Amino acid sequence: MGPAGRRRGAGRWISHNKEVLRAAARHSGLPDELVAGIAWKEIGGQYGFTDDLTDTVRGAADSPLGPVPARDLPWRLGGTPDETSFGPIAIQLRRGAEVLGYDPAHLTDAQRDLVEESLQDPEQNAFIAAGFLARIKTEAGYGDVPAEQLTDAQMREIAARYNGGPYWQSGKAQDYGDDFGDALGKVKDAMG
């Protein structure tokens, strides 16, 4: 899907799920447009079958019989199984586990399956993504800033941190934050 088709798909998804996005934002003390803006950036990427395929390939590579370590796999397949992103608002399994109160370094198979299922459910996915964004907001030093007072620049930074993790100041993560900021008008229209 090209960029224009992806944007149309994101706008439709956001419009269809705006009440869930609003509820998730309120629950986490975030502006609606922050949660919806991250959804805008993430919708149309890997989701569903592709998430499952990536997870399966990474899991097989990570096994003792795997010919290549999962991290060394080509393209988007490279990474550990717990770094696999799931759901319409793509979020890594390990981050979802943290939001749900699990220690990602010590997940049982049953816990891992539960987190994965939760991330793949669009409603739960929105709340988990919002919970992770709330953690990022606090880690960025904006924890005491009320949702309605969060600036566009602060939201861009949170978006860059969402994308880049500890490497949020990299060019790629900063571009993600800038794209997020540039789309806010369209996001607000879709939330209309």
Side-chain angles (χ1 to χ4, degrees), residues 65-141:
L65 301 175
V68 170
R71 187 162 297 293
D72 295 336
L73 290 169
W75 189 61
R76 296 184 84 176
L77 292 175
T80 68
D82 288 345
E83 291 174 336
T84 304
S85 294
F86 289 96
I89 305 174
I91 185 165
Q92 290 181 345
L93 186 117
R94 64 188 171 131
R95 299 301 181 210
E98 291 168 352
V99 170
L100 293 173
Y102 296 110
D103 177 357
H106 299 97
L107 286 177
T108 66
D109 288 342
Q111 290 169 333
R112 189 177 196 288
D113 290 345
L114 179 70
V115 173
E116 184 179 327
E117 287 173 24
S118 297
L119 290 173
Q120 291 190 18
D121 174 73
E123 291 180 6
Q124 292 182 64
N125 177 264
F127 276 85
I128 293 168
F132 184 52
L133 286 165
R135 276 192 36 209
I136 294 170
K137 178 183 177 235
T138 299
E139 290 168 3

Side-chain angles (χ1 to χ4, degrees), residues 6-23 32-33 35-41 43 88-89 122-123 126 183-192:
R6 184 176 163 176
R7 285 189 297 274
R8 280 191 303 276
R12 282 192 300 269
W13 191 91
I14 288 168
S15 184
H16 180 73
N17 291 284
K18 63 186 170 189
E19 294 309 318
V20 171
L21 294 169
R22 282 189 183 115
D32 295 353
E33 63 268 23
V35 177
I38 294 297
W40 180 274
K41 288 290 298 161
I43 298 300
I89 305 174
E123 291 180 6
L184 281 176
K186 294 174 185 161
V187 169
K188 290 175 185 178
D189 289 345
M191 288 291 284

Side-chain angles (χ1 to χ4, degrees), residues 36-56:
I38 294 297
W40 180 274
K41 288 290 298 161
E42 296 297 332
I43 298 300
Q46 293 183 5
Y47 177 50
F49 172 74
T50 309
D51 290 343
D52 293 336
L53 178 64
T54 300
D55 185 50
T56 300

